[in-house]
């Protein structure tokens, strides 16, 4: 088998509409028009797309299992986008899994990549990561 790429991730949320608004505001995702009818069914997914227009996140009604290291959804961005995201943290008022406001001081250095972690309103863990390591390290 040859996998082409990761298609999308299922995320359980208590309120699909509220979650969609949060993902659109924080991550810049948009509703995927082609699959909009699926969200009409109470158990169907509300599918969001990234800027390239392909499905990224499928929001399903359900209860989050709580924050663990194993249920992180990671989004890869360019170094410039990562820095812009860090500059927007004050306006976004995101919190980490411990309930603390996320700041640029919480960027995790993985030696070849840099990441910042936070949770959505349903406590699903989100990671924004960049492999433009040198660019971002110089800027920080």
């Amino acid at each position: 088998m040859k996998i082409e790429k990761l298609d999308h991730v299922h995320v359980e949320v208590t309120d699909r509409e509220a979650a969609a608004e949060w993902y659109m505001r924080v991550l810049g995702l948009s509703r995927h028009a082609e699959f909009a009818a699926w969200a009409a069914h109470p158990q169907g997914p509300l599918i969001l797309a990234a800027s390239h227009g392909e499905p990224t996140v499928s929001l399903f009604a359900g209860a989050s299992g709580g924050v663990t290291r194993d249920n992180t959804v990671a989004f890869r961005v360019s170094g410039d986008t990562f820095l812009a995201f860090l500059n927007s943290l004050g306006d976004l008022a995101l919190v980490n899994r411990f309930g603390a406001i996320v700041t640029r001081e919480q960027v995790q250095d993985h030696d070849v990549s840099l990441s910042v972690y936070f949770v959505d309103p349903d406590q699903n863990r989100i990671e924004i990561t960049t492999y433009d390591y040198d660019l971002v390290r110089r800027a920080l």
Side-chain angles (χ1 to χ4, degrees):
M1 175 186 306
K2 181 180 176 188
I3 302 294
E4 292 179 14
K5 64 181 176 177
L6 180 65
D7 187 75
H8 65 280
V9 176
H10 291 200
V11 177
E12 288 192 345
V13 296
T14 54
D15 182 329
R16 290 183 305 164
E17 291 297 327
E21 293 300 321
W22 185 90
Y23 278 85
M24 290 187 291
R25 180 177 62 83
V26 173
L27 300 178
L29 301 180
S30 60
R31 291 172 184 267
H32 196 290
E34 184 180 349
F35 304 112
W38 291 355
H41 188 283
Q43 298 304 313
L46 192 162
I47 298 179
L48 301 177
S51 60
H52 52 66
E54 295 180 10
T56 301
V57 173
S58 295
L59 301 174
F60 284 89
S64 171
V67 179
T68 72
R69 183 170 184 246
D70 294 331
N71 70 351
T72 302
V73 178
F75 296 93
R76 183 178 184 166
V77 298
S78 70
D80 290 332
T81 299
F82 190 84
L83 291 168
F85 183 76
L86 293 180
N87 289 334
S88 72
L89 286 175
D91 295 331
L92 295 173
L94 301 172
V95 297
N96 64 23
R97 63 185 177 154
F98 306 109
I101 297 292
V102 174
T103 65
R104 65 187 304 128
E105 288 75 29
Q106 294 169 347
V107 169
Q108 297 292 307
D109 187 331
H110 304 297
D111 296 326
V112 296
S113 67
L114 296 154
S115 300
V116 63
Y117 299 88
F118 50 96
V119 294
D120 75 5
D122 290 283
Q123 301 301 299
N124 294 298
R125 193 167 186 232
I126 308 295
E127 173 185 358
I128 303 298
T129 193
T130 184
Y131 289 88
D132 292 338
Y133 185 83
D134 292 335
L135 172 87
V136 175
R137 285 303 306 156
R138 280 192 303 271
L140 292 177

